[in-house]
Structure formats: structure tokens, C-alpha cells
Amino acid sequence: MLVEWYREASHCRIPDVDVGYIMDVWMVEAVIYALIKVCGYSRGRAEKLFQRGVLFSKEEREAQHQEILSGIANIDDDSKETYMWQILAHLNQSDQDDQST
């Protein structure tokens, strides 16, 4: 949608619009603007929330990793188990880091 608007606004007829610029600048500004308008945040708070990113609970992260693992058909059971233990260790470390801040 933004790419089409950019083409119309700039009268750009070149099919290879700089999508990187749109994603790196316009999308960021669009999300921040939405936080300001929809949630009523100040610009500073909206930028801070955007930079922090999405926070997931431990259960949500585990569910995401389970979904990834279930989608991998060519991985053996031992590798799945090893990967799962690594994920759990990482999640526990993330939780400890979250609690210390």
C-alpha cells in the first residue's frame, strides 16, 4: 500500500521503487504515528515503545518455538530435543534478564 502511494505521490514510473527506504523510514513513522493517534502516547513514549519491540511471555515464546519445530519435517528427534533444551535455556536466561531490569 505504501509503495503504491509512493509511486503515485512521486509520479514514479519505475517498477523498482526503493522498498528498503519505505520499510526503514515510512513504516517506522507509520507505526509511531499510530501509537500516538490510537493510544494517545507522546511521540517520545511511542518511539521508545517501538524501539523496545514486541514483548512475549515465556509461554508465547515456547509456543512459537514449538510451532517452528512442528513445521520442520526433515529434522531427527535427537536434534529436536537438543534444540528444545537450547530454547528452554535461552528462555530462562531471558526471563532472568527481564527480572533484573
Side-chain angles (χ1 to χ4, degrees):
M1 185 166 92
L2 284 175
V3 173
E4 293 302 319
W5 184 86
Y6 178 77
R7 284 184 181 144
E8 290 175 20
S10 66
H11 305 291
C12 180
R13 302 289 178 233
I14 303 170
D16 296 329
V17 175
D18 186 5
V19 177
Y21 171 77
I22 293 171
M23 296 300 292
D24 293 341
V25 178
W26 286 16
M27 288 299 290
V28 172
E29 287 300 318
V31 171
I32 290 171
Y33 184 79
L35 288 170
I36 293 168
K37 291 298 180 182
V38 174
C39 299
Y41 296 147
S42 68
R43 180 156 188 90
R45 183 169 184 209
E47 287 175 353
K48 191 174 186 177
L49 286 171
F50 180 82
Q51 289 173 354
R52 186 174 69 188
V54 179
L55 300 177
F56 294 105
S57 69
K58 184 176 180 180
E59 291 78 20
E60 289 171 322
R61 290 187 300 224
E62 287 177 2
Q64 287 176 339
H65 288 289
Q66 284 293 340
E67 187 176 327
I68 291 168
L69 285 175
S70 66
I72 301 172
N74 296 329
I75 189 169
D76 60 275
D77 290 336
D78 290 336
S79 296
K80 281 184 186 179
E81 186 173 341
T82 301
Y83 181 66
M84 196 62 207
W85 282 111
Q86 290 173 346
I87 290 170
L88 290 173
H90 178 74
L91 291 174
N92 289 333
Q93 182 62 43
S94 295
D95 285 345
Q96 290 173 1
D97 292 344
D98 290 344
Q99 291 174 358
S100 66
T101 57

